[in-house]
mmCIF file of all heavy atoms in Angstrom:
data_model
loop_
_atom_site.group_PDB
_atom_site.id
_atom_site.type_symbol
_atom_site.label_atom_id
_atom_site.label_comp_id
_atom_site.label_asym_id
_atom_site.label_seq_id
_atom_site.Cartn_x
_atom_site.Cartn_y
_atom_site.Cartn_z
ATOM 1 N N ILE A 1 7.755 -18.092 4.806
ATOM 2 C CA ILE A 1 6.878 -17.757 3.695
ATOM 3 C C ILE A 1 5.458 -17.263 4.279
ATOM 4 O O ILE A 1 4.958 -16.340 3.721
ATOM 5 C CB ILE A 1 6.664 -19.031 2.780
ATOM 6 C CG1 ILE A 1 7.933 -19.378 1.994
ATOM 7 C CG2 ILE A 1 5.447 -18.855 1.811
ATOM 8 C CD1 ILE A 1 7.883 -20.623 1.243
ATOM 9 N N SER A 2 5.044 -17.884 5.315
ATOM 10 C CA SER A 2 3.786 -17.442 5.977
ATOM 11 C C SER A 2 3.904 -16.052 6.447
ATOM 12 O O SER A 2 2.963 -15.181 6.313
ATOM 13 C CB SER A 2 3.486 -18.392 7.174
ATOM 14 O OG SER A 2 2.360 -17.929 7.873
ATOM 15 N N LEU A 3 5.108 -15.712 7.066
ATOM 16 C CA LEU A 3 5.338 -14.295 7.495
ATOM 17 C C LEU A 3 5.304 -13.359 6.371
ATOM 18 O O LEU A 3 4.708 -12.236 6.405
ATOM 19 C CB LEU A 3 6.694 -14.275 8.243
ATOM 20 C CG LEU A 3 7.173 -12.835 8.646
ATOM 21 C CD1 LEU A 3 6.394 -12.302 9.800
ATOM 22 C CD2 LEU A 3 8.635 -12.908 8.939
ATOM 23 N N LEU A 4 6.009 -13.673 5.291
ATOM 24 C CA LEU A 4 6.083 -12.781 4.128
ATOM 25 C C LEU A 4 4.727 -12.639 3.483
ATOM 26 O O LEU A 4 4.385 -11.542 3.015
ATOM 27 C CB LEU A 4 7.099 -13.337 3.103
ATOM 28 C CG LEU A 4 8.581 -13.278 3.462
ATOM 29 C CD1 LEU A 4 9.399 -14.017 2.447
ATOM 30 C CD2 LEU A 4 9.090 -11.962 3.642
ATOM 31 N N THR A 5 3.959 -13.668 3.413
ATOM 32 C CA THR A 5 2.631 -13.650 2.802
ATOM 33 C C THR A 5 1.789 -12.718 3.713
ATOM 34 O O THR A 5 0.905 -11.965 3.049
ATOM 35 C CB THR A 5 1.997 -15.039 2.766
ATOM 36 O OG1 THR A 5 2.956 -15.845 1.980
ATOM 37 C CG2 THR A 5 0.719 -15.092 2.051
ATOM 38 N N ALA A 6 1.858 -12.778 4.930
ATOM 39 C CA ALA A 6 1.004 -11.937 5.870
ATOM 40 C C ALA A 6 1.319 -10.501 5.654
ATOM 41 O O ALA A 6 0.481 -9.583 5.520
ATOM 42 C CB ALA A 6 1.115 -12.367 7.305
ATOM 43 N N ARG A 7 2.625 -10.170 5.537
ATOM 44 C CA ARG A 7 3.100 -8.800 5.298
ATOM 45 C C ARG A 7 2.623 -8.313 3.960
ATOM 46 O O ARG A 7 2.173 -7.236 3.806
ATOM 47 C CB ARG A 7 4.577 -8.733 5.461
ATOM 48 C CG ARG A 7 5.046 -8.831 6.954
ATOM 49 C CD ARG A 7 6.499 -8.726 6.977
ATOM 50 N NE ARG A 7 7.058 -7.376 6.686
ATOM 51 C CZ ARG A 7 7.173 -6.407 7.661
ATOM 52 N NH1 ARG A 7 6.916 -6.643 8.866
ATOM 53 N NH2 ARG A 7 7.710 -5.210 7.288
ATOM 54 N N LEU A 8 2.619 -9.157 2.975
ATOM 55 C CA LEU A 8 2.212 -8.821 1.661
ATOM 56 C C LEU A 8 0.740 -8.477 1.603
ATOM 57 O O LEU A 8 0.308 -7.587 1.012
ATOM 58 C CB LEU A 8 2.577 -9.892 0.616
ATOM 59 C CG LEU A 8 2.120 -9.676 -0.852
ATOM 60 C CD1 LEU A 8 2.849 -8.384 -1.403
ATOM 61 C CD2 LEU A 8 2.434 -10.805 -1.707
ATOM 62 N N GLY A 9 -0.006 -9.329 2.321
ATOM 63 C CA GLY A 9 -1.494 -9.054 2.501
ATOM 64 C C GLY A 9 -1.780 -7.742 3.188
ATOM 65 O O GLY A 9 -2.609 -7.029 2.630
ATOM 66 N N ALA A 10 -0.991 -7.350 4.133
ATOM 67 C CA ALA A 10 -1.150 -6.072 4.789
ATOM 68 C C ALA A 10 -0.856 -4.938 3.837
ATOM 69 O O ALA A 10 -1.533 -3.811 3.749
ATOM 70 C CB ALA A 10 -0.304 -5.973 6.014
ATOM 71 N N VAL A 11 0.165 -5.123 3.078
ATOM 72 C CA VAL A 11 0.668 -3.930 2.174
ATOM 73 C C VAL A 11 -0.383 -3.786 1.110
ATOM 74 O O VAL A 11 -0.842 -2.679 0.670
ATOM 75 C CB VAL A 11 2.076 -4.371 1.492
ATOM 76 C CG1 VAL A 11 2.326 -3.412 0.365
ATOM 77 C CG2 VAL A 11 3.074 -4.170 2.597
ATOM 78 N N VAL A 12 -0.919 -4.889 0.564
ATOM 79 C CA VAL A 12 -1.974 -4.773 -0.430
ATOM 80 C C VAL A 12 -3.220 -4.261 0.053
ATOM 81 O O VAL A 12 -3.894 -3.394 -0.582
ATOM 82 C CB VAL A 12 -2.266 -6.216 -1.079
ATOM 83 C CG1 VAL A 12 -3.475 -6.216 -2.005
ATOM 84 C CG2 VAL A 12 -1.004 -6.645 -1.847
ATOM 85 N N ALA A 13 -3.658 -4.555 1.288
ATOM 86 C CA ALA A 13 -4.782 -4.031 1.929
ATOM 87 C C ALA A 13 -4.674 -2.491 2.129
ATOM 88 O O ALA A 13 -5.561 -1.690 1.812
ATOM 89 C CB ALA A 13 -5.071 -4.736 3.211
ATOM 90 N N ARG A 14 -3.450 -2.123 2.503
ATOM 91 C CA ARG A 14 -3.245 -0.709 2.677
ATOM 92 C C ARG A 14 -3.227 0.155 1.433
ATOM 93 O O ARG A 14 -3.801 1.164 1.342
ATOM 94 C CB ARG A 14 -1.783 -0.498 3.391
ATOM 95 C CG ARG A 14 -1.411 0.906 3.620
ATOM 96 C CD ARG A 14 -2.078 1.458 4.738
ATOM 97 N NE ARG A 14 -1.575 2.825 4.950
ATOM 98 C CZ ARG A 14 -2.208 3.711 5.729
ATOM 99 N NH1 ARG A 14 -3.315 3.462 6.405
ATOM 100 N NH2 ARG A 14 -1.689 4.905 5.893
ATOM 101 N N ALA A 15 -2.733 -0.469 0.373
ATOM 102 C CA ALA A 15 -2.779 0.164 -0.983
ATOM 103 C C ALA A 15 -4.145 0.268 -1.541
ATOM 104 O O ALA A 15 -4.513 1.402 -2.144
ATOM 105 C CB ALA A 15 -1.888 -0.665 -2.016
ATOM 106 N N ARG A 16 -4.945 -0.763 -1.343
ATOM 107 C CA ARG A 16 -6.299 -0.716 -1.801
ATOM 108 C C ARG A 16 -7.079 0.421 -0.896
ATOM 109 O O ARG A 16 -7.932 1.118 -1.436
ATOM 110 C CB ARG A 16 -7.012 -2.019 -1.481
ATOM 111 C CG ARG A 16 -6.616 -3.079 -2.526
ATOM 112 C CD ARG A 16 -7.292 -4.323 -2.414
ATOM 113 N NE ARG A 16 -6.874 -5.232 -3.366
ATOM 114 C CZ ARG A 16 -6.852 -6.585 -3.287
ATOM 115 N NH1 ARG A 16 -7.394 -7.118 -2.145
ATOM 116 N NH2 ARG A 16 -6.552 -7.392 -4.178
ATOM 117 N N LEU A 17 -6.866 0.482 0.311
ATOM 118 C CA LEU A 17 -7.429 1.582 1.198
ATOM 119 C C LEU A 17 -7.077 2.962 0.670
ATOM 120 O O LEU A 17 -7.917 3.748 0.581
ATOM 121 C CB LEU A 17 -6.997 1.336 2.623
ATOM 122 C CG LEU A 17 -7.622 2.289 3.657
ATOM 123 C CD1 LEU A 17 -9.050 2.103 3.926
ATOM 124 C CD2 LEU A 17 -6.791 2.250 4.912
ATOM 125 N N LEU A 18 -5.825 3.113 0.389
ATOM 126 C CA LEU A 18 -5.372 4.438 -0.117
ATOM 127 C C LEU A 18 -5.942 4.703 -1.543
ATOM 128 O O LEU A 18 -6.348 5.872 -1.742
ATOM 129 C CB LEU A 18 -3.848 4.532 -0.177
ATOM 130 C CG LEU A 18 -3.155 4.495 1.241
ATOM 131 C CD1 LEU A 18 -1.740 4.560 1.013
ATOM 132 C CD2 LEU A 18 -3.663 5.587 2.125
ATOM 133 N N ASN A 19 -6.053 3.748 -2.337
ATOM 134 C CA ASN A 19 -6.542 3.990 -3.755
ATOM 135 C C ASN A 19 -8.076 4.285 -3.693
ATOM 136 O O ASN A 19 -8.659 4.822 -4.626
ATOM 137 C CB ASN A 19 -6.307 2.797 -4.489
ATOM 138 C CG ASN A 19 -4.935 2.704 -5.084
ATOM 139 O OD1 ASN A 19 -4.311 3.773 -5.399
ATOM 140 N ND2 ASN A 19 -4.312 1.513 -5.280
ATOM 141 N N ALA A 20 -8.753 3.865 -2.535
ATOM 142 C CA ALA A 20 -10.193 4.077 -2.422
ATOM 143 C C ALA A 20 -10.459 5.515 -1.994
ATOM 144 O O ALA A 20 -11.622 5.951 -2.046
ATOM 145 C CB ALA A 20 -10.797 3.118 -1.500
ATOM 146 N N ILE A 21 -9.481 6.305 -1.621
ATOM 147 C CA ILE A 21 -9.631 7.661 -1.152
ATOM 148 C C ILE A 21 -10.011 8.470 -2.343
ATOM 149 O O ILE A 21 -9.282 8.532 -3.431
ATOM 150 C CB ILE A 21 -8.476 8.232 -0.473
ATOM 151 C CG1 ILE A 21 -8.178 7.395 0.849
ATOM 152 C CG2 ILE A 21 -8.616 9.718 -0.143
ATOM 153 C CD1 ILE A 21 -6.881 7.735 1.564
ATOM 154 N N PRO A 22 -11.116 9.210 -2.360
ATOM 155 C CA PRO A 22 -11.399 10.130 -3.428
ATOM 156 C C PRO A 22 -10.411 11.264 -3.672
ATOM 157 O O PRO A 22 -9.757 11.740 -2.738
ATOM 158 C CB PRO A 22 -12.828 10.817 -3.055
ATOM 159 C CG PRO A 22 -13.312 9.923 -1.870
ATOM 160 C CD PRO A 22 -12.144 9.297 -1.305
ATOM 161 N N ASP A 23 -10.221 11.649 -4.927
ATOM 162 C CA ASP A 23 -9.122 12.677 -5.268
ATOM 163 C C ASP A 23 -9.346 13.995 -4.600
ATOM 164 O O ASP A 23 -8.488 14.629 -4.238
ATOM 165 C CB ASP A 23 -9.061 12.870 -6.749
ATOM 166 C CG ASP A 23 -8.426 11.623 -7.396
ATOM 167 O OD1 ASP A 23 -7.593 10.929 -6.803
ATOM 168 O OD2 ASP A 23 -8.685 11.414 -8.593
ATOM 169 N N GLY A 24 -10.544 14.367 -4.381
ATOM 170 C CA GLY A 24 -10.871 15.684 -3.775
ATOM 171 C C GLY A 24 -10.891 15.647 -2.289
ATOM 172 O O GLY A 24 -11.145 16.742 -1.604
ATOM 173 N N SER A 25 -10.654 14.550 -1.578
ATOM 174 C CA SER A 25 -10.707 14.419 -0.224
ATOM 175 C C SER A 25 -9.556 15.127 0.501
ATOM 176 O O SER A 25 -8.518 15.371 -0.072
ATOM 177 C CB SER A 25 -10.735 12.929 0.149
ATOM 178 O OG SER A 25 -10.595 12.808 1.573
ATOM 179 N N GLU A 26 -9.706 15.468 1.828
ATOM 180 C CA GLU A 26 -8.648 16.030 2.602
ATOM 181 C C GLU A 26 -7.523 15.085 2.832
ATOM 182 O O GLU A 26 -6.370 15.512 3.164
ATOM 183 C CB GLU A 26 -9.242 16.528 3.816
ATOM 184 C CG GLU A 26 -9.870 15.461 4.730
ATOM 185 C CD GLU A 26 -10.646 15.907 5.928
ATOM 186 O OE1 GLU A 26 -11.160 17.057 5.812
ATOM 187 O OE2 GLU A 26 -10.589 15.304 6.925
ATOM 188 N N LYS A 27 -7.827 13.807 2.625
ATOM 189 C CA LYS A 27 -6.838 12.730 2.857
ATOM 190 C C LYS A 27 -6.178 12.294 1.522
ATOM 191 O O LYS A 27 -5.370 11.318 1.430
ATOM 192 C CB LYS A 27 -7.358 11.491 3.436
ATOM 193 C CG LYS A 27 -7.756 11.785 4.900
ATOM 194 C CD LYS A 27 -8.351 10.464 5.563
ATOM 195 C CE LYS A 27 -8.800 10.716 7.002
ATOM 196 N NZ LYS A 27 -9.216 9.490 7.591
ATOM 197 N N ALA A 28 -6.369 13.091 0.472
ATOM 198 C CA ALA A 28 -5.924 12.690 -0.851
ATOM 199 C C ALA A 28 -4.386 12.661 -0.940
ATOM 200 O O ALA A 28 -3.830 11.906 -1.696
ATOM 201 C CB ALA A 28 -6.411 13.610 -1.953
ATOM 202 N N GLN A 29 -3.666 13.497 -0.076
ATOM 203 C CA GLN A 29 -2.209 13.368 -0.119
ATOM 204 C C GLN A 29 -1.757 12.127 0.369
ATOM 205 O O GLN A 29 -0.500 11.797 0.061
ATOM 206 C CB GLN A 29 -1.636 14.538 0.764
ATOM 207 C CG GLN A 29 -1.639 14.260 2.226
ATOM 208 C CD GLN A 29 -2.881 14.489 3.072
ATOM 209 O OE1 GLN A 29 -3.929 14.755 2.447
ATOM 210 N NE2 GLN A 29 -2.875 14.229 4.329
ATOM 211 N N MET A 30 -2.442 11.276 1.067
ATOM 212 C CA MET A 30 -2.049 9.951 1.444
ATOM 213 C C MET A 30 -1.793 9.006 0.290
ATOM 214 O O MET A 30 -1.035 8.085 0.414
ATOM 215 C CB MET A 30 -3.118 9.351 2.457
ATOM 216 C CG MET A 30 -3.137 10.103 3.812
ATOM 217 S SD MET A 30 -4.404 9.472 4.901
ATOM 218 C CE MET A 30 -3.779 7.827 5.101
ATOM 219 N N LYS A 31 -2.386 9.329 -0.833
ATOM 220 C CA LYS A 31 -2.174 8.477 -2.057
ATOM 221 C C LYS A 31 -0.761 8.614 -2.566
ATOM 222 O O LYS A 31 -0.364 7.662 -3.319
ATOM 223 C CB LYS A 31 -3.063 8.935 -3.209
ATOM 224 C CG LYS A 31 -4.528 8.540 -2.924
ATOM 225 C CD LYS A 31 -5.381 8.854 -4.212
ATOM 226 C CE LYS A 31 -6.627 8.070 -4.195
ATOM 227 N NZ LYS A 31 -7.401 8.299 -5.452
ATOM 228 N N ASN A 32 -0.017 9.558 -2.087
ATOM 229 C CA ASN A 32 1.412 9.749 -2.507
ATOM 230 C C ASN A 32 2.222 8.489 -1.982
ATOM 231 O O ASN A 32 3.335 8.295 -2.411
ATOM 232 C CB ASN A 32 2.059 10.949 -1.976
ATOM 233 C CG ASN A 32 1.391 12.197 -2.620
ATOM 234 O OD1 ASN A 32 0.822 12.106 -3.679
ATOM 235 N ND2 ASN A 32 1.374 13.314 -1.942
ATOM 236 N N ASP A 33 1.686 7.714 -1.013
ATOM 237 C CA ASP A 33 2.336 6.612 -0.511
ATOM 238 C C ASP A 33 2.168 5.232 -1.218
ATOM 239 O O ASP A 33 2.965 4.331 -1.003
ATOM 240 C CB ASP A 33 1.802 6.414 0.923
ATOM 241 C CG ASP A 33 2.728 5.552 1.877
ATOM 242 O OD1 ASP A 33 3.979 5.641 1.661
ATOM 243 O OD2 ASP A 33 2.336 4.769 2.669
ATOM 244 N N VAL A 34 1.335 5.288 -2.291
ATOM 245 C CA VAL A 34 1.106 4.121 -3.107
ATOM 246 C C VAL A 34 2.383 3.607 -3.749
ATOM 247 O O VAL A 34 2.604 2.422 -3.789
ATOM 248 C CB VAL A 34 -0.127 4.362 -4.034
ATOM 249 C CG1 VAL A 34 -0.228 3.227 -4.986
ATOM 250 C CG2 VAL A 34 -1.401 4.592 -3.227
ATOM 251 N N PRO A 35 3.196 4.460 -4.360
ATOM 252 C CA PRO A 35 4.405 3.921 -5.036
ATOM 253 C C PRO A 35 5.396 3.177 -4.023
ATOM 254 O O PRO A 35 5.948 2.178 -4.355
ATOM 255 C CB PRO A 35 5.154 5.133 -5.572
ATOM 256 C CG PRO A 35 4.000 6.055 -5.752
ATOM 257 C CD PRO A 35 3.007 5.922 -4.669
ATOM 258 N N ARG A 36 5.457 3.717 -2.825
ATOM 259 C CA ARG A 36 6.250 3.074 -1.775
ATOM 260 C C ARG A 36 5.616 1.676 -1.491
ATOM 261 O O ARG A 36 6.378 0.715 -1.285
ATOM 262 C CB ARG A 36 6.297 3.841 -0.493
ATOM 263 C CG ARG A 36 7.140 3.201 0.614
ATOM 264 C CD ARG A 36 7.105 4.073 1.846
ATOM 265 N NE ARG A 36 5.894 4.109 2.560
ATOM 266 C CZ ARG A 36 5.438 3.290 3.561
ATOM 267 N NH1 ARG A 36 6.288 2.350 3.906
ATOM 268 N NH2 ARG A 36 4.310 3.373 4.099
ATOM 269 N N LEU A 37 4.337 1.553 -1.345
ATOM 270 C CA LEU A 37 3.685 0.302 -1.208
ATOM 271 C C LEU A 37 3.869 -0.694 -2.260
ATOM 272 O O LEU A 37 4.054 -1.840 -1.995
ATOM 273 C CB LEU A 37 2.226 0.524 -0.881
ATOM 274 C CG LEU A 37 1.874 1.318 0.489
ATOM 275 C CD1 LEU A 37 0.379 1.607 0.561
ATOM 276 C CD2 LEU A 37 2.338 0.484 1.674
ATOM 277 N N LYS A 38 3.805 -0.138 -3.486
ATOM 278 C CA LYS A 38 4.120 -0.966 -4.644
ATOM 279 C C LYS A 38 5.559 -1.611 -4.557
ATOM 280 O O LYS A 38 5.771 -2.739 -4.872
ATOM 281 C CB LYS A 38 3.928 -0.287 -5.953
ATOM 282 C CG LYS A 38 2.484 -0.063 -6.268
ATOM 283 C CD LYS A 38 2.306 0.698 -7.645
ATOM 284 C CE LYS A 38 0.896 0.899 -7.984
ATOM 285 N NZ LYS A 38 0.835 1.590 -9.333
ATOM 286 N N THR A 39 6.468 -0.697 -4.167
ATOM 287 C CA THR A 39 7.920 -1.199 -4.010
ATOM 288 C C THR A 39 8.012 -2.276 -2.884
ATOM 289 O O THR A 39 8.585 -3.338 -3.096
ATOM 290 C CB THR A 39 8.749 -0.096 -3.715
ATOM 291 O OG1 THR A 39 8.730 0.905 -4.751
ATOM 292 C CG2 THR A 39 10.246 -0.526 -3.563
ATOM 293 N N ARG A 40 7.286 -1.986 -1.801
ATOM 294 C CA ARG A 40 7.284 -3.119 -0.779
ATOM 295 C C ARG A 40 6.625 -4.391 -1.149
ATOM 296 O O ARG A 40 7.131 -5.421 -0.897
ATOM 297 C CB ARG A 40 6.530 -2.548 0.414
ATOM 298 C CG ARG A 40 7.272 -1.448 1.175
ATOM 299 C CD ARG A 40 6.540 -1.108 2.504
ATOM 300 N NE ARG A 40 6.435 -2.300 3.389
ATOM 301 C CZ ARG A 40 5.466 -2.468 4.233
ATOM 302 N NH1 ARG A 40 4.631 -1.500 4.536
ATOM 303 N NH2 ARG A 40 5.411 -3.535 5.126
ATOM 304 N N ALA A 41 5.569 -4.276 -1.935
ATOM 305 C CA ALA A 41 4.915 -5.465 -2.544
ATOM 306 C C ALA A 41 5.850 -6.197 -3.460
ATOM 307 O O ALA A 41 5.851 -7.510 -3.355
ATOM 308 C CB ALA A 41 3.583 -5.085 -3.218
ATOM 309 N N ARG A 42 6.548 -5.568 -4.246
ATOM 310 C CA ARG A 42 7.508 -6.175 -5.111
ATOM 311 C C ARG A 42 8.599 -6.865 -4.340
ATOM 312 O O ARG A 42 8.982 -8.031 -4.680
ATOM 313 C CB ARG A 42 8.090 -5.170 -6.118
ATOM 314 C CG ARG A 42 9.098 -5.744 -7.146
ATOM 315 C CD ARG A 42 9.734 -4.670 -7.989
ATOM 316 N NE ARG A 42 10.322 -3.498 -7.291
ATOM 317 C CZ ARG A 42 11.486 -3.510 -6.722
ATOM 318 N NH1 ARG A 42 12.206 -4.594 -6.653
ATOM 319 N NH2 ARG A 42 11.889 -2.451 -6.017
ATOM 320 N N LEU A 43 9.115 -6.240 -3.301
ATOM 321 C CA LEU A 43 10.236 -6.838 -2.473
ATOM 322 C C LEU A 43 9.646 -7.998 -1.777
ATOM 323 O O LEU A 43 10.389 -9.206 -1.758
ATOM 324 C CB LEU A 43 10.733 -5.787 -1.423
ATOM 325 C CG LEU A 43 11.434 -4.654 -1.930
ATOM 326 C CD1 LEU A 43 11.742 -3.600 -0.787
ATOM 327 C CD2 LEU A 43 12.827 -5.077 -2.494
ATOM 328 N N LEU A 44 8.438 -7.997 -1.226
ATOM 329 C CA LEU A 44 7.926 -9.200 -0.570
ATOM 330 C C LEU A 44 7.567 -10.298 -1.607
ATOM 331 O O LEU A 44 7.817 -11.499 -1.199
ATOM 332 C CB LEU A 44 6.645 -8.731 0.220
ATOM 333 C CG LEU A 44 6.902 -7.913 1.420
ATOM 334 C CD1 LEU A 44 5.600 -7.219 1.891
ATOM 335 C CD2 LEU A 44 7.509 -8.624 2.553
ATOM 336 N N ARG A 45 7.025 -9.996 -2.668
ATOM 337 C CA ARG A 45 6.908 -10.999 -3.781
ATOM 338 C C ARG A 45 8.205 -11.632 -4.116
ATOM 339 O O ARG A 45 8.236 -12.921 -4.133
ATOM 340 C CB ARG A 45 6.180 -10.377 -4.978
ATOM 341 C CG ARG A 45 5.929 -11.389 -6.054
ATOM 342 C CD ARG A 45 5.664 -10.873 -7.390
ATOM 343 N NE ARG A 45 6.968 -10.332 -7.871
ATOM 344 C CZ ARG A 45 7.039 -9.186 -8.588
ATOM 345 N NH1 ARG A 45 5.977 -8.597 -8.995
ATOM 346 N NH2 ARG A 45 8.192 -8.848 -9.069
#
């Protein structure tokens, strides 16, 4: 459970980081990864 919780924390932190990227930024394409992170968070939960 500790291992799963740590992984879930990393996934949530990564999703928050990507969601903080402004839409007009050169890194905006990285936001396309958010659905995959949501799936991973669901699996870990």
Side-chain angles (χ1 to χ4, degrees):
I1 290 171
S2 177
L3 170 74
L4 292 174
T5 304
R7 288 181 68 92
L8 180 60
V11 168
V12 169
R14 178 77 177 166
R16 286 182 180 155
L17 180 72
L18 294 180
N19 281 325
I21 297 173
D23 286 333
S25 171
E26 60 192 35
K27 294 183 178 182
Q29 83 279 1
M30 292 175 65
K31 285 185 163 188
N32 294 334
D33 199 34
V34 172
R36 180 182 70 93
L37 293 173
K38 285 183 180 180
T39 302
R40 286 187 60 204
R42 182 182 51 79
L43 290 171
L44 290 167
R45 184 197 67 215

